Amino acid sequence: MRLLIVEDSETLAKGLKTTLKTAGFAVDIAHDGALGLNLLKVQQYDLLILDLGLPKIDGMDLLRHLRLTNKTIPVLIISARDELDQRIKGLDLGADDYLCKPFILKEVTARVRALLRRSHHTLDTVINQGRLSLNTHTRSLKLDNRSIELHRRELSVLEYLLTHTDRVVSKEQIAEHICSFDDDINPVAIETYVSRLRKKLDGALKLKTVRGL
Ligand code: CA
């Protein structure tokens, strides 16, 4: 899953990125509202972490613009403005959750996971699919109750596929959702991960290739 952090404090943005990367997310950072809004226009993100006090475009304005075109991306506001009216305004504009600074980084990860579960309509951290059981919290996979070792990219590809079982997904879509700009991969590499998954999963998941898509 790929997240965008729009936060002008470099220290906080870096801390958030490190924490969320460790939790298995691909993370991009924008240090002002204008860049944040542009990135949201060109890139598909699974979730937005948004500061309110931002240079160029304020967080509230960014949210207002975003909701005109993108109604569904979950938004977590992080802000020092802990006054009740700011919180209500943010939620009214379409934010999904709100965290007041200072907060502990672990709490952000937990809130992000909760919002993503809600947006994918699953209440569990464990995705069960036939003989497979993927724990998105501990980033571990079991096949018939046996642990299977996967490379972190293989795990991300599998997670993306398991949360999109109702549709055909392109290599580009998968690549965009599992990588940030600083660890961009060639969509062709996705083929390699898929073929490794086929081997390691030993037929437990039917991965069908649709030519041309
Ligand atoms: Ca700020």
Side-chain angles (χ1 to χ4, degrees):
M1 304 253 187
R2 186 168 179 176
L3 320 179
L4 177 65
I5 299 170
V6 187
E7 164 63 65
D8 59 335
S9 155
E10 288 193 21
T11 315
L12 179 56
K14 232 172 133 183
L16 280 168
K17 181 173 177 165
T18 307
T19 305
L20 290 162
K21 256 184 103 169
T22 308
F25 296 104
V27 184
D28 290 322
I29 294 175
H31 289 302
D32 67 70
L35 177 61
L37 197 57
N38 280 332
L39 286 177
L40 286 158
K41 280 177 190 159
V42 297
Q43 187 60 55
Q44 287 264 320
Y45 288 101
D46 295 288
L47 183 137
L48 168 66
I49 297 178
L50 179 67
D51 180 26
L52 290 182
L54 289 168
K56 296 188 185 172
I57 295 178
D58 186 65
M60 286 291 189
D61 286 333
L62 187 155
L63 187 57
R64 199 174 291 118
H65 283 294
L66 174 69
R67 284 307 186 213
L68 293 175
T69 50
N70 186 333
K71 308 260 185 240
T72 53
I73 181 175
V75 177
L76 171 64
I77 287 178
I78 46 164
S79 177
R81 301 182 201 172
D82 54 355
E83 298 90 343
L84 187 64
D85 60 332
Q86 283 293 328
R87 198 177 317 181
I88 292 169
K89 203 175 156 200
L91 293 170
D92 274 348
L93 278 173
D96 299 273
D97 203 357
Y98 196 106
L99 259 180
C100 292
K101 295 176 193 172
F103 46 75
I104 51 167
L105 291 172
K106 259 182 166 172
E107 185 174 8
V108 180
T109 316
R111 298 270 185 124
V112 163
R113 281 203 197 97
L115 286 174
L116 287 170
R117 282 200 302 275
R118 222 186 293 160
S119 78
H120 287 102
H121 308 291
T122 52
L123 292 170
D124 223 328
T125 45
V126 180
I127 303 170
N128 290 305
Q129 178 83 36
R131 297 157 58 204
L132 295 176
S133 176
L134 174 70
N135 188 317
T136 57
H137 187 159
T138 58
R139 316 272 309 150
S140 56
L141 177 75
K142 283 189 171 167
L143 169 61
D144 295 331
N145 274 325
R146 237 175 348 107
S147 288
I148 300 278
E149 283 295 321
L150 290 186
H151 179 271
R152 75 183 166 89
R153 283 269 169 78
E154 292 165 6
L155 205 89
S156 297
V157 171
L158 181 65
E159 182 181 8
Y160 189 78
L161 292 172
L162 288 177
T163 47
H164 296 82
T165 49
D166 57 340
R167 71 200 80 165
V168 178
V169 290
S170 68
K171 280 176 285 194
E172 289 77 10
Q173 269 173 315
I174 300 173
E176 275 195 11
H177 277 270
I178 69 163
C179 294
S180 59
F181 286 120
D182 53 9
D183 60 3
D184 220 0
I185 53 164
N186 191 321
V188 177
I190 299 297
E191 285 178 23
T192 313
Y193 296 126
V194 169
S195 94
R196 282 195 218 151
L197 280 172
R198 279 202 171 99
K199 267 188 211 133
K200 290 186 182 177
L201 301 186
D202 190 26
L205 187 68
K206 235 169 96 184
L207 290 165
K208 211 166 144 185
T209 304
V210 181
R211 296 232 168 266
L213 285 173

